[in-house]
């Protein structure tokens, strides 16, 4: 469909998730932190754009706000875990490009692409993370 073509996330950058089932737990948690910090910033941009472009789309905005809250909670939990269990007090993260100054169409397209990429990346991350969820 046209939506599938326009929302194809092939050109969307996400932080590299170069861990696997045999990676050290600390390495996996740092990678997860980077992933969720990036996603949180991206969700902030998407939410800002949607508030501007679709201020009456209550259901969409509620879902974006709830996803952002969940992401912030995960970041908070990962921050505590990294600090307490691994003495990691700072993680260098990268953020995607801002949509400021782009046309309304480009903002919508970018948001759709980022969210589709997020679904792919989270699925990959979940497969890697599952073996690391048992207590150390």
């Amino acid at each position: 469909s046209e939506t599938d073509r326009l929302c194809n996330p092939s050109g969307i950058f996400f932080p590299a998730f170069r861990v696997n089932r045999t990676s050290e737990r600390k390495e996996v948690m740092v990678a997860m932190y980077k992933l969720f910090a990036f996603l949180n910033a991206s969700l902030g941009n998407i939410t800002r754009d949607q508030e501007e472009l679709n201020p009456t789309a209550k259901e969409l905005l509620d879902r974006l706000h709830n996803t952002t809250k969940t992401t912030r909670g995960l970041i908070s939990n990962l921050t505590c875990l990294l600090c307490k269990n691994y003495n990691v007090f700072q993680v260098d993260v990268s953020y995607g490009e801002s949509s400021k100054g782009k046309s309304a169409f480009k903002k919508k397209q970018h948001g759709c692409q980022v969210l589709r990429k997020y679904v792919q990346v989270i699925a990959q991350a979940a497969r890697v993370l599952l073996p690391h969820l048992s207590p150390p």
Side-chain angles (χ1 to χ4, degrees), residues 43-86:
L43 283 169
N45 288 335
I46 292 168
T47 302
R48 180 197 65 227
D49 292 344
Q50 291 304 313
E51 287 172 340
E52 176 188 311
L53 298 168
N54 300 308
T56 59
K58 182 175 174 14
E59 183 181 343
L60 171 64
L61 294 173
D62 285 349
R63 289 178 77 182
L64 286 168
H65 285 290
N66 288 337
T67 303
T68 302
K69 287 176 191 173
T70 301
T71 303
R72 285 186 189 142
L74 290 167
I75 292 169
S76 177
N77 290 342
L78 285 166
T79 299
C80 289
L81 183 128
L82 287 169
C83 185
K84 181 180 173 189
N85 292 6
Y86 303 108

Side-chain angles (χ1 to χ4, degrees), residues 3 13 17 25 64 87 130:
T3 303
F13 162 84
F17 196 73
R25 194 165 192 235
L64 286 168
N87 294 320
L130 285 174

Side-chain angles (χ1 to χ4, degrees), residues 6-112:
L6 292 172
C7 289
N8 183 338
S10 62
I12 296 298
F13 162 84
F14 253 72
F17 196 73
R18 293 191 183 105
V19 293
N20 57 49
R21 290 176 180 263
T22 61
S23 297
E24 291 292 322
R25 194 165 192 235
K26 175 182 175 182
E27 186 182 1
V28 172
M29 297 305 145
V30 168
M32 292 299 291
Y33 181 91
K34 289 179 180 184
L35 178 67
F36 284 112
F38 178 88
L39 176 62
N40 187 61
S42 296
L43 283 169
N45 288 335
I46 292 168
T47 302
R48 180 197 65 227
D49 292 344
Q50 291 304 313
E51 287 172 340
E52 176 188 311
L53 298 168
N54 300 308
T56 59
K58 182 175 174 14
E59 183 181 343
L60 171 64
L61 294 173
D62 285 349
R63 289 178 77 182
L64 286 168
H65 285 290
N66 288 337
T67 303
T68 302
K69 287 176 191 173
T70 301
T71 303
R72 285 186 189 142
L74 290 167
I75 292 169
S76 177
N77 290 342
L78 285 166
T79 299
C80 289
L81 183 128
L82 287 169
C83 185
K84 181 180 173 189
N85 292 6
Y86 303 108
N87 294 320
V88 174
F89 304 105
Q90 181 177 343
V91 176
D92 292 329
V93 296
S94 60
Y95 301 103
E97 63 184 77
S98 174
S99 58
K100 283 191 175 189
K102 290 185 177 183
S103 70
F105 175 79
K106 286 292 185 189
K107 287 179 181 183
K108 287 182 179 187
Q109 183 182 30
H110 183 74
C112 178

